[in-house]
Structure formats: structure tokens, C-alpha cells
Amino acid sequence: MEKSKLQEAGKDVKPEMDQRQVSKNLASAWENGEVVTIQMNSIEDNSFVPEIKGQVIGFNAGQIYLLLEEGTTSRLNVENIRYVTATPSQKWWLDDNALR
């Protein structure tokens, strides 16, 4: 399905990355312990499946392993990843005191 039809359905369509850029972004996230947001190249009900957020904790044979926000793990085929980017950390503490 083409991008414009998916956008009409109200879904956020990320630009498709080549596999070299996907691998580079995943490697960087793994090396730096960053959380990533991933859009898979899978369509269900005329839209891309929901984005996946997690920390890259391993890789093997064309697959990555993510520690998801809820504490479970997921295995993804790198060749099926459409877009991946590091997710900025968000402030979760209530006061403005720095850790000492």
C-alpha cells in the first residue's frame, strides 16, 4: 500500500531507511544503551503495526533482541525494520534536584 493512503488513514508513516542506516542506528543504540523506537515494515488493517519501543540488548543472525518498556523481551528480524531512531530520555523525577 502506498504512503499517501496510509497517511489518509491517520497513521504516522516514517520514511523507509535502507538496511545500512537501520543497522547503524541499532548498533549505535546498543553501544550507548539507548532506547529506540522502531517501525516495522508490516501492515495490518491498512496501517503499519504500532511502533515498538525498547532497549537493544542483543543481536544474532540478523535478529535483534529488545527489552521492552513493560519488562518483556522481543526478537525482531532486522530486515523487516522500516525505520529506527533513538528515543530521547524523558524526565521522570518530580523535583529539580540533581543526583549528588
Coordinates of all heavy atoms in Angstrom, one line a residue:
M1 N 0.9 -1.2 0.0 CA 0.0 0.0 0.0 C 0.9 1.2 0.0 O 1.9 1.3 0.7 CB -0.9 0.0 1.2 CG -1.8 1.2 1.3 SD -3.1 1.0 2.6 CE -4.1 -0.1 1.7
E2 N 0.5 2.2 -0.7 CA 1.4 3.4 -0.8 C 1.2 4.3 0.4 O 0.3 4.3 1.1 CB 1.1 4.2 -2.1 CG -0.3 4.8 -2.2 CD -0.6 5.4 -3.5 OE1 -0.4 4.7 -4.6 OE2 -1.0 6.5 -3.6
K3 N 2.3 5.2 0.6 CA 2.4 6.0 1.7 C 1.2 6.9 1.9 O 0.6 7.1 3.0 CB 3.6 6.8 1.6 CG 3.9 7.7 2.8 CD 5.2 8.4 2.6 CE 5.5 9.4 3.7 NZ 6.8 10.1 3.6
S4 N 0.7 7.6 0.8 CA -0.4 8.5 0.9 C -1.7 7.9 1.4 O -2.4 8.5 2.2 CB -0.7 9.2 -0.4 OG -1.1 8.3 -1.4
K5 N -2.0 6.7 1.1 CA -3.2 6.0 1.5 C -3.1 5.7 3.0 O -4.0 5.8 3.8 CB -3.5 4.7 0.8 CG -4.0 5.0 -0.6 CD -4.3 3.7 -1.4 CE -4.8 4.0 -2.8 NZ -5.0 2.8 -3.5
L6 N -1.9 5.3 3.5 CA -1.7 5.1 4.9 C -1.8 6.4 5.7 O -2.3 6.4 6.8 CB -0.3 4.5 5.1 CG -0.2 3.0 4.7 CD1 1.3 2.5 4.7 CD2 -1.1 2.1 5.5
Q7 N -1.3 7.5 5.1 CA -1.4 8.8 5.8 C -2.8 9.2 5.9 O -3.3 9.8 6.9 CB -0.5 9.8 5.1 CG 0.9 9.7 5.4 CD 1.8 10.6 4.6 OE1 1.4 11.1 3.5 NE2 2.9 11.0 5.1
E8 N -3.6 8.9 4.9 CA -5.0 9.3 4.9 C -5.7 8.5 6.0 O -6.7 9.0 6.6 CB -5.7 8.9 3.5 CG -5.3 9.9 2.4 CD -5.8 9.4 1.1 OE1 -6.6 8.5 1.0 OE2 -5.3 10.0 0.1
A9 N -5.2 7.4 6.3 CA -5.9 6.6 7.4 C -5.5 7.1 8.8 O -5.9 6.6 9.8 CB -5.4 5.1 7.3
G10 N -4.7 8.2 8.8 CA -4.3 8.8 10.0 C -3.2 8.2 10.8 O -3.0 8.5 11.9
K11 N -2.4 7.5 10.1 CA -1.2 6.8 10.7 C 0.1 7.6 10.4 O 0.2 8.1 9.3 CB -1.1 5.3 10.3 CG -2.3 4.5 10.6 CD -2.6 4.5 12.0 CE -3.9 3.7 12.3 NZ -4.3 3.8 13.7
D12 N 1.0 7.6 11.4 CA 2.2 8.2 11.2 C 3.2 7.3 10.4 O 3.6 6.3 10.9 CB 2.8 8.6 12.6 CG 4.1 9.4 12.5 OD1 4.3 10.1 11.5 OD2 4.8 9.4 13.5
V13 N 3.5 7.7 9.2 CA 4.3 6.8 8.3 C 5.7 7.4 8.3 O 5.9 8.6 7.9 CB 3.8 6.8 6.9 CG1 4.7 6.0 6.0 CG2 2.3 6.2 6.9
K14 N 6.7 6.7 8.8 CA 8.0 7.1 8.9 C 8.7 6.8 7.5 O 8.3 5.9 6.8 CB 8.8 6.4 9.9 CG 8.2 6.4 11.3 CD 8.4 7.8 11.9 CE 8.0 7.8 13.4 NZ 7.3 8.9 13.9
P15 N 9.7 7.6 7.1 CA 10.4 7.3 5.9 C 11.2 6.0 6.0 O 11.8 5.7 7.0 CB 11.4 8.5 5.7 CG 11.5 9.0 7.1 CD 10.3 8.8 7.8
E16 N 11.1 5.2 4.9 CA 11.8 3.9 4.9 C 13.3 4.1 4.8 O 13.8 4.9 4.0 CB 11.3 3.1 3.8 CG 11.9 1.7 3.9 CD 11.2 0.7 3.0 OE1 10.3 1.1 2.2 OE2 11.5 -0.5 3.0
M17 N 14.1 3.5 5.7 CA 15.5 3.6 5.8 C 16.1 2.4 5.0 O 15.5 1.3 5.0 CB 16.0 3.5 7.2 CG 15.7 4.7 8.0 SD 16.3 4.5 9.7 CE 16.2 6.1 10.3
D18 N 17.3 2.6 4.4 CA 18.0 1.4 3.9 C 18.5 0.6 5.0 O 18.7 1.1 6.1 CB 19.0 1.8 2.8 CG 20.1 2.7 3.4 OD1 20.6 2.4 4.5 OD2 20.6 3.6 2.7
Q19 N 18.8 -0.7 4.7 CA 19.3 -1.6 5.8 C 20.6 -1.1 6.4 O 20.8 -1.4 7.6 CB 19.5 -3.0 5.2 CG 18.1 -3.7 4.9 CD 17.3 -3.8 6.2 OE1 17.8 -4.5 7.1 NE2 16.2 -3.2 6.3
R20 N 21.4 -0.4 5.7 CA 22.7 0.1 6.2 C 22.4 1.1 7.3 O 23.0 1.0 8.4 CB 23.6 0.7 5.2 CG 24.8 1.4 5.7 CD 25.7 1.9 4.7 NE 26.6 0.7 4.3 CZ 27.2 0.6 3.2 NH1 27.0 1.5 2.2 NH2 28.0 -0.4 2.9
Q21 N 21.5 2.0 7.1 CA 21.1 3.0 8.1 C 20.4 2.4 9.3 O 20.7 2.7 10.5 CB 20.3 4.1 7.5 CG 20.0 5.3 8.5 CD 21.3 6.0 8.8 OE1 22.1 6.4 8.0 NE2 21.5 6.2 10.1
V22 N 19.6 1.4 9.1 CA 18.9 0.7 10.2 C 19.9 0.0 11.0 O 19.9 0.2 12.3 CB 17.9 -0.4 9.6 CG1 17.4 -1.3 10.7 CG2 16.7 0.3 9.0
S23 N 20.9 -0.7 10.4 CA 21.9 -1.4 11.2 C 22.8 -0.4 12.0 O 23.2 -0.6 13.1 CB 22.8 -2.2 10.3 OG 22.0 -3.3 9.7
K24 N 23.1 0.7 11.3 CA 24.0 1.7 12.0 C 23.2 2.3 13.2 O 23.8 2.4 14.3 CB 24.3 2.9 11.0 CG 25.1 4.0 11.6 CD 25.4 5.0 10.5 CE 26.2 6.2 11.1 NZ 26.4 7.2 10.1
N25 N 22.0 2.6 13.1 CA 21.2 3.2 14.2 C 21.0 2.1 15.3 O 21.1 2.5 16.5 CB 19.8 3.6 13.8 CG 19.9 4.9 12.9 OD1 20.9 5.4 12.6 ND2 18.7 5.4 12.5
L26 N 20.8 0.9 15.0 CA 20.7 -0.2 16.0 C 22.0 -0.4 16.7 O 22.0 -0.5 18.0 CB 20.2 -1.5 15.4 CG 18.8 -1.5 14.9 CD1 18.5 -2.8 14.1 CD2 17.8 -1.4 16.1
A27 N 23.1 -0.4 16.0 CA 24.4 -0.6 16.6 C 24.8 0.6 17.6 O 25.2 0.3 18.7 CB 25.5 -0.7 15.5
S28 N 24.5 1.8 17.1 CA 24.7 2.9 18.0 C 23.9 2.9 19.3 O 24.4 3.1 20.4 CB 24.4 4.2 17.2 OG 24.5 5.3 18.1
A29 N 22.6 2.5 19.1 CA 21.8 2.4 20.3 C 22.3 1.3 21.3 O 22.2 1.4 22.5 CB 20.3 2.1 19.9
W30 N 22.7 0.2 20.7 CA 23.2 -0.9 21.5 C 24.5 -0.5 22.3 O 24.6 -0.7 23.5 CB 23.5 -2.1 20.6 CG 24.0 -3.3 21.4 CD1 23.3 -4.1 22.3 CD2 25.3 -3.8 21.4 NE1 24.1 -5.1 22.8 CE2 25.4 -4.9 22.3 CE3 26.5 -3.4 20.7 CZ2 26.5 -5.6 22.5 CZ3 27.6 -4.1 20.9 CH2 27.7 -5.2 21.8
E31 N 25.4 0.1 21.5 CA 26.7 0.6 22.2 C 26.5 1.6 23.2 O 27.2 1.7 24.2 CB 27.6 1.2 21.1 CG 28.1 0.1 20.1 CD 28.8 0.7 18.9 OE1 28.8 1.9 18.7 OE2 29.3 -0.1 18.1
N32 N 25.4 2.5 23.1 CA 25.2 3.6 24.0 C 24.1 3.3 25.1 O 23.7 4.2 25.9 CB 24.9 4.9 23.3 CG 26.1 5.3 22.4 OD1 27.2 5.4 22.9 ND2 25.8 5.5 21.1
G33 N 23.5 2.1 25.0 CA 22.4 1.8 25.9 C 21.2 2.6 25.8 O 20.4 2.8 26.7
E34 N 20.9 3.0 24.5 CA 19.7 3.9 24.3 C 18.5 3.1 24.0 O 18.5 2.0 23.5 CB 20.0 4.8 23.1 CG 21.2 5.8 23.3 CD 21.6 6.5 22.0 OE1 21.6 5.9 20.9 OE2 21.8 7.7 22.1
V35 N 17.4 3.7 24.3 CA 16.0 3.2 23.9 C 15.8 3.6 22.5 O 16.1 4.7 22.1 CB 14.9 3.7 24.9 CG1 13.6 3.3 24.4 CG2 15.2 3.2 26.3
V36 N 15.2 2.7 21.7 CA 14.9 3.0 20.3 C 13.4 2.9 20.1 O 12.7 2.2 20.8 CB 15.6 2.1 19.3 CG1 17.1 2.3 19.3 CG2 15.3 0.6 19.6
T37 N 12.9 3.6 19.1 CA 11.6 3.5 18.5 C 11.7 2.9 17.2 O 12.4 3.4 16.3 CB 10.9 4.8 18.5 OG1 10.8 5.4 19.8 CG2 9.4 4.7 17.9
I38 N 11.0 1.8 16.9 CA 11.1 1.0 15.7 C 9.7 1.0 15.0 O 8.7 0.7 15.6 CB 11.6 -0.4 16.0 CG1 13.0 -0.4 16.5 CG2 11.5 -1.3 14.7 CD1 13.5 -1.7 16.9
Q39 N 9.7 1.2 13.7 CA 8.5 1.0 12.9 C 8.8 -0.2 12.0 O 9.8 -0.2 11.2 CB 8.1 2.2 12.0 CG 6.8 2.0 11.3 CD 6.3 3.2 10.6 OE1 7.0 3.7 9.7 NE2 5.2 3.8 11.0
M40 N 8.0 -1.3 12.1 CA 8.2 -2.4 11.3 C 7.6 -2.2 9.9 O 6.7 -1.4 9.8 CB 7.6 -3.7 12.0 CG 8.2 -4.0 13.3 SD 10.0 -4.4 13.3 CE 10.0 -5.9 12.5
N41 N 8.1 -3.0 9.0 CA 7.5 -2.9 7.6 C 6.4 -3.9 7.4 O 6.3 -4.7 6.5 CB 8.6 -3.1 6.6 CG 8.4 -2.4 5.3 OD1 7.5 -1.6 5.2 ND2 9.1 -2.8 4.2
S42 N 5.4 -3.9 8.4 CA 4.3 -4.8 8.4 C 3.0 -4.0 8.5 O 2.9 -3.1 9.3 CB 4.4 -5.7 9.6 OG 5.6 -6.4 9.6
I43 N 2.1 -4.4 7.6 CA 0.8 -3.6 7.6 C -0.3 -4.6 8.0 O -0.4 -5.7 7.6 CB 0.5 -3.1 6.2 CG1 1.6 -2.1 5.8 CG2 -0.9 -2.5 6.0 CD1 1.5 -1.6 4.4
E44 N -1.2 -4.0 8.9 CA -2.4 -4.7 9.4 C -3.5 -3.7 9.3 O -3.4 -2.6 9.8 CB -2.2 -5.3 10.8 CG -1.2 -6.4 10.9 CD -1.0 -6.9 12.3 OE1 -1.7 -6.4 13.2 OE2 -0.2 -7.8 12.5
D45 N -4.7 -4.1 8.8 CA -5.8 -3.2 8.8 C -5.5 -1.9 8.1 O -5.8 -0.8 8.6 CB -6.4 -3.0 10.2 CG -6.9 -4.3 10.8 OD1 -7.4 -5.1 10.1 OD2 -6.8 -4.4 12.0
N46 N -4.8 -1.9 7.0 CA -4.4 -0.7 6.2 C -3.6 0.3 6.9 O -3.6 1.5 6.6 CB -5.7 0.0 5.7 CG -6.5 -0.9 4.7 OD1 -5.9 -1.6 4.0 ND2 -7.8 -0.7 4.7
S47 N -2.8 -0.2 7.9 CA -1.8 0.7 8.6 C -0.7 -0.1 9.1 O -0.8 -1.3 9.3 CB -2.5 1.5 9.7 OG -2.9 0.6 10.7
F48 N 0.5 0.6 9.3 CA 1.6 -0.1 9.9 C 1.3 -0.5 11.3 O 0.5 0.2 12.0 CB 2.8 0.8 9.9 CG 3.4 1.0 8.5 CD1 3.2 2.1 7.8 CD2 4.2 0.0 7.9 CE1 3.8 2.3 6.5 CE2 4.7 0.1 6.6 CZ 4.5 1.3 6.0
V49 N 1.9 -1.6 11.7 CA 1.7 -2.1 13.1 C 2.2 -1.0 14.0 O 3.1 -0.2 13.7 CB 2.3 -3.5 13.3 CG1 1.7 -4.5 12.5 CG2 3.8 -3.4 13.1
P50 N 1.7 -1.0 15.3 CA 2.2 0.1 16.2 C 3.7 0.0 16.4 O 4.3 -1.0 16.3 CB 1.5 -0.3 17.5 CG 0.3 -1.1 17.1 CD 0.7 -1.8 15.9
E51 N 4.3 1.2 16.6 CA 5.7 1.3 16.9 C 6.1 0.5 18.1 O 5.3 0.4 19.0 CB 6.1 2.8 17.0 CG 6.0 3.5 15.7 CD 6.4 5.0 15.9 OE1 6.4 5.5 17.0 OE2 6.6 5.7 14.9
I52 N 7.3 0.1 18.1 CA 7.9 -0.7 19.2 C 9.0 0.1 19.9 O 9.8 0.6 19.2 CB 8.4 -2.1 18.7 CG1 7.4 -2.9 18.0 CG2 9.1 -2.9 19.8 CD1 7.9 -4.0 17.2
K53 N 8.9 0.2 21.2 CA 10.0 0.9 21.9 C 10.6 0.0 22.9 O 10.0 -0.8 23.6 CB 9.4 2.1 22.7 CG 8.8 3.2 21.8 CD 8.3 4.4 22.7 CE 7.8 5.4 21.7 NZ 7.3 6.6 22.5
G54 N 12.0 0.1 22.9 CA 12.7 -0.8 23.8 C 14.2 -0.5 23.7 O 14.7 0.2 22.8
Q55 N 15.0 -1.2 24.6 CA 16.4 -1.1 24.6 C 17.0 -2.3 23.9 O 16.6 -3.4 24.1 CB 16.9 -1.0 26.0 CG 18.4 -0.8 26.1 CD 18.9 -0.7 27.5 OE1 18.2 -0.9 28.4 NE2 20.2 -0.3 27.7
V56 N 17.9 -2.1 22.9 CA 18.6 -3.2 22.2 C 19.5 -3.9 23.2 O 20.5 -3.2 23.8 CB 19.4 -2.7 21.0 CG1 20.1 -3.8 20.3 CG2 18.5 -1.9 20.1
I57 N 19.3 -5.1 23.5 CA 20.1 -5.9 24.5 C 20.9 -7.0 23.8 O 21.7 -7.6 24.5 CB 19.2 -6.4 25.6 CG1 18.1 -7.3 25.1 CG2 18.6 -5.3 26.5 CD1 17.3 -8.1 26.2
G58 N 20.7 -7.2 22.5 CA 21.5 -8.3 21.9 C 21.1 -8.4 20.4 O 20.2 -7.8 19.9
F59 N 22.0 -9.1 19.7 CA 21.8 -9.4 18.3 C 22.4 -10.7 17.9 O 23.4 -11.1 18.6 CB 22.3 -8.2 17.5 CG 23.7 -7.9 17.7 CD1 24.7 -8.5 16.9 CD2 24.1 -7.1 18.7 CE1 26.1 -8.3 17.1 CE2 25.5 -6.8 18.9 CZ 26.4 -7.4 18.1
N60 N 21.8 -11.3 16.9 CA 22.4 -12.6 16.4 C 21.7 -13.0 15.1 O 20.5 -12.9 15.1 CB 22.2 -13.7 17.5 CG 22.9 -15.0 17.1 OD1 23.9 -15.0 16.4 ND2 22.4 -16.1 17.6
A61 N 22.5 -13.3 14.2 CA 22.0 -13.9 12.9 C 20.8 -13.1 12.3 O 19.8 -13.6 12.0 CB 21.5 -15.4 13.1
G62 N 21.0 -11.8 12.2 CA 20.0 -10.9 11.5 C 18.9 -10.6 12.4 O 17.9 -10.1 11.9
Q63 N 18.9 -10.9 13.7 CA 17.9 -10.5 14.6 C 18.4 -9.7 15.7 O 19.6 -9.8 16.1 CB 17.2 -11.8 15.2 CG 16.6 -12.7 14.1 CD 16.0 -13.9 14.7 OE1 16.4 -14.4 15.7 NE2 15.0 -14.5 14.0
I64 N 17.5 -8.8 16.3 CA 17.9 -8.1 17.5 C 16.9 -8.5 18.6 O 15.8 -9.0 18.3 CB 17.8 -6.5 17.3 CG1 16.3 -6.1 16.9 CG2 18.8 -6.0 16.3 CD1 16.1 -4.6 17.1
Y65 N 17.4 -8.3 19.8 CA 16.6 -8.5 21.0 C 16.4 -7.2 21.7 O 17.3 -6.5 22.0 CB 17.3 -9.5 21.9 CG 17.5 -10.9 21.2 CD1 18.6 -11.1 20.4 CD2 16.6 -11.9 21.3 CE1 18.8 -12.3 19.7 CE2 16.8 -13.1 20.6 CZ 17.9 -13.3 19.8 OH 18.1 -14.4 19.1
L66 N 15.1 -6.9 22.0 CA 14.7 -5.7 22.7 C 14.2 -6.0 24.1 O 13.4 -6.9 24.2 CB 13.6 -5.0 21.9 CG 14.0 -4.3 20.6 CD1 12.7 -3.6 20.1 CD2 15.1 -3.3 20.8
L67 N 14.6 -5.2 25.0 CA 14.0 -5.2 26.3 C 12.9 -4.1 26.2 O 13.2 -2.9 26.1 CB 15.0 -4.8 27.4 CG 14.4 -4.7 28.8 CD1 13.7 -6.0 29.3 CD2 15.5 -4.3 29.8
L68 N 11.6 -4.5 26.2 CA 10.5 -3.6 26.1 C 10.2 -2.8 27.4 O 10.6 -3.2 28.4 CB 9.3 -4.4 25.6 CG 9.4 -5.2 24.3 CD1 8.2 -6.0 24.0 CD2 9.9 -4.3 23.2
E69 N 9.5 -1.7 27.2 CA 9.2 -0.9 28.3 C 8.5 -1.6 29.5 O 8.7 -1.3 30.7 CB 8.3 0.3 27.9 CG 9.1 1.3 27.0 CD 8.2 2.4 26.5 OE1 7.0 2.2 26.2 OE2 8.7 3.5 26.4
E70 N 7.7 -2.6 29.2 CA 7.0 -3.3 30.2 C 7.8 -4.4 30.9 O 7.3 -5.2 31.7 CB 5.6 -3.9 29.7 CG 5.7 -4.9 28.6 CD 5.7 -4.2 27.2 OE1 5.7 -3.0 27.1 OE2 5.7 -5.0 26.2
G71 N 9.1 -4.6 30.4 CA 10.0 -5.6 31.0 C 10.1 -6.9 30.3 O 10.8 -7.7 30.7
T72 N 9.3 -7.1 29.3 CA 9.4 -8.3 28.5 C 10.4 -8.1 27.4 O 10.9 -7.0 27.1 CB 8.1 -8.7 27.9 OG1 7.6 -7.7 27.0 CG2 7.0 -9.0 29.0
T73 N 10.8 -9.2 26.7 CA 11.8 -9.1 25.6 C 11.1 -9.5 24.3 O 10.1 -10.2 24.3 CB 13.0 -10.1 25.8 OG1 12.5 -11.4 26.0 CG2 13.8 -9.6 27.0
S74 N 11.6 -9.0 23.2 CA 11.1 -9.3 21.9 C 12.2 -9.5 20.9 O 13.3 -8.8 21.0 CB 10.2 -8.1 21.4 OG 9.7 -8.4 20.2
R75 N 12.1 -10.4 20.0 CA 13.0 -10.7 19.0 C 12.5 -10.2 17.6 O 11.4 -10.5 17.3 CB 13.3 -12.2 18.9 CG 14.4 -12.6 18.0 CD 14.7 -14.0 18.0 NE 13.4 -14.7 17.6 CZ 13.2 -16.0 17.8 NH1 14.0 -16.7 18.4 NH2 12.0 -16.5 17.3
L76 N 13.3 -9.4 16.9 CA 12.8 -8.8 15.6 C 13.8 -9.1 14.6 O 15.0 -9.0 14.8 CB 12.7 -7.3 15.8 CG 11.8 -6.7 16.8 CD1 11.9 -5.2 16.9 CD2 10.3 -7.2 16.6
N77 N 13.3 -9.4 13.4 CA 14.2 -9.6 12.2 C 14.6 -8.2 11.7 O 13.7 -7.4 11.4 CB 13.5 -10.3 11.1 CG 13.3 -11.8 11.4 OD1 14.2 -12.4 12.0 ND2 12.2 -12.4 11.1
V78 N 15.9 -7.9 11.6 CA 16.4 -6.6 11.2 C 15.9 -6.3 9.8 O 15.5 -5.1 9.5 CB 17.9 -6.5 11.2 CG1 18.4 -5.2 10.6 CG2 18.4 -6.7 12.7
E79 N 15.8 -7.2 8.9 CA 15.3 -7.0 7.5 C 13.9 -6.5 7.4 O 13.5 -5.9 6.4 CB 15.6 -8.2 6.6 CG 14.7 -9.4 7.0 CD 14.9 -10.6 6.1 OE1 16.0 -10.7 5.5 OE2 14.1 -11.5 6.1
N80 N 13.1 -6.7 8.5 CA 11.7 -6.3 8.5 C 11.5 -4.9 9.1 O 10.4 -4.4 9.3 CB 10.8 -7.3 9.2 CG 10.8 -8.6 8.4 OD1 10.9 -8.6 7.2 ND2 10.5 -9.7 9.1
I81 N 12.6 -4.3 9.6 CA 12.5 -2.9 10.2 C 12.5 -1.9 9.1 O 13.4 -1.8 8.3 CB 13.7 -2.7 11.2 CG1 13.6 -3.7 12.3 CG2 13.7 -1.3 11.7 CD1 14.7 -3.7 13.3
R82 N 11.5 -1.0 9.2 CA 11.3 0.1 8.2 C 12.1 1.3 8.6 O 12.7 2.0 7.8 CB 9.9 0.4 8.1 CG 9.5 1.6 7.2 CD 8.0 1.8 7.2 NE 7.7 3.0 6.4 CZ 7.7 3.0 5.1 NH1 7.8 1.8 4.4 NH2 7.4 4.1 4.4
Y83 N 12.1 1.6 10.0 CA 12.6 2.9 10.5 C 13.0 2.6 12.0 O 12.3 2.0 12.7 CB 11.5 3.9 10.4 CG 11.9 5.3 10.9 CD1 12.6 6.2 10.1 CD2 11.7 5.7 12.3 CE1 12.9 7.5 10.6 CE2 12.0 6.9 12.7 CZ 12.7 7.8 11.9 OH 13.0 9.0 12.4
V84 N 14.1 3.2 12.4 CA 14.5 3.1 13.8 C 15.3 4.4 14.1 O 16.1 4.9 13.4 CB 15.4 1.8 14.0 CG1 16.7 1.9 13.2 CG2 15.8 1.7 15.5
T85 N 15.0 4.8 15.3 CA 15.6 6.0 15.8 C 15.8 6.0 17.3 O 14.9 5.3 18.0 CB 14.9 7.3 15.4 OG1 15.6 8.5 15.8 CG2 13.5 7.4 16.1
A86 N 16.8 6.6 17.9 CA 17.0 6.7 19.3 C 15.8 7.5 19.9 O 15.5 8.5 19.3 CB 18.3 7.2 19.7
T87 N 15.3 7.1 21.0 CA 14.2 7.9 21.7 C 14.8 8.7 22.8 O 15.5 8.1 23.7 CB 13.2 6.9 22.2 OG1 12.7 6.1 21.2 CG2 12.0 7.6 22.9
P88 N 14.6 10.0 22.8 CA 15.2 10.8 23.9 C 14.6 10.4 25.2 O 13.5 10.1 25.4 CB 14.7 12.2 23.5 CG 14.2 12.2 22.1 CD 13.8 10.8 21.8
S89 N 15.5 10.5 26.2 CA 15.1 10.2 27.6 C 14.2 11.3 28.1 O 14.3 12.4 27.7 CB 16.3 10.1 28.5 OG 17.2 9.1 28.1
Q90 N 13.3 10.9 28.9 CA 12.3 11.9 29.4 C 12.5 12.0 30.9 O 12.8 11.0 31.6 CB 10.9 11.4 29.2 CG 10.5 11.4 27.7 CD 9.1 10.9 27.5 OE1 8.4 10.5 28.4 NE2 8.7 11.0 26.2
K91 N 12.3 13.2 31.4 CA 12.5 13.4 32.9 C 11.3 12.7 33.6 O 10.2 12.9 33.2 CB 12.4 14.9 33.2 CG 12.5 15.3 34.6 CD 12.4 16.7 34.9 CE 12.3 17.0 36.4 NZ 11.9 18.3 36.7
W92 N 11.6 11.9 34.5 CA 10.6 11.1 35.3 C 10.6 11.5 36.7 O 9.6 11.1 37.4 CB 10.9 9.6 35.2 CG 12.3 9.2 35.6 CD1 13.3 9.1 34.7 CD2 12.7 8.9 36.9 NE1 14.4 8.7 35.4 CE2 14.1 8.6 36.8 CE3 12.2 8.9 38.1 CZ2 14.9 8.3 37.8 CZ3 13.0 8.6 39.2 CH2 14.3 8.3 39.1
W93 N 11.5 12.3 37.2 CA 11.5 12.6 38.6 C 10.7 13.9 38.8 O 10.6 14.7 37.9 CB 13.0 12.8 39.1 CG 13.8 13.8 38.4 CD1 14.0 15.1 38.6 CD2 14.6 13.5 37.2 NE1 14.8 15.7 37.7 CE2 15.2 14.7 36.8 CE3 14.8 12.4 36.4 CZ2 16.0 14.8 35.7 CZ3 15.6 12.5 35.3 CH2 16.2 13.7 35.0
L94 N 10.3 14.1 40.0 CA 9.3 15.2 40.3 C 10.0 16.5 40.7 O 9.5 17.6 40.4 CB 8.4 14.8 41.5 CG 7.5 13.6 41.2 CD1 6.7 13.2 42.4 CD2 6.6 13.9 39.9
D95 N 11.2 16.5 41.4 CA 11.8 17.7 41.8 C 13.0 18.0 40.8 O 13.3 17.2 40.0 CB 12.3 17.6 43.2 CG 13.3 16.5 43.4 OD1 14.1 16.2 42.5 OD2 13.3 15.9 44.5
D96 N 13.5 19.2 41.0 CA 14.6 19.6 40.1 C 16.0 19.4 40.7 O 17.0 19.9 40.2 CB 14.5 21.1 39.7 CG 13.3 21.3 38.7 OD1 13.1 20.3 37.9 OD2 12.7 22.3 38.7
N97 N 16.1 18.6 41.8 CA 17.3 18.4 42.4 C 18.1 17.3 41.6 O 17.6 16.3 41.2 CB 17.2 17.8 43.8 CG 16.6 18.8 44.8 OD1 16.7 20.0 44.5 ND2 15.9 18.4 45.8
A98 N 19.4 17.6 41.4 CA 20.2 16.7 40.6 C 20.7 15.7 41.6 O 20.8 15.9 42.8 CB 21.4 17.5 40.0
L99 N 21.0 14.5 41.1 CA 21.6 13.4 41.9 C 23.0 13.9 42.3 O 23.8 14.4 41.6 CB 21.7 12.1 41.1 CG 20.4 11.5 40.8 CD1 20.6 10.3 39.9 CD2 19.5 11.2 42.0
R100 N 23.3 13.6 43.6 CA 24.7 14.0 44.1 C 25.4 12.8 44.5 O 25.1 11.9 45.0 CB 24.5 15.0 45.3 CG 23.8 16.2 44.8 CD 23.6 17.2 45.9 NE 22.8 18.3 45.4 CZ 22.0 19.0 46.1 NH1 21.9 18.8 47.4 NH2 21.3 19.9 45.6

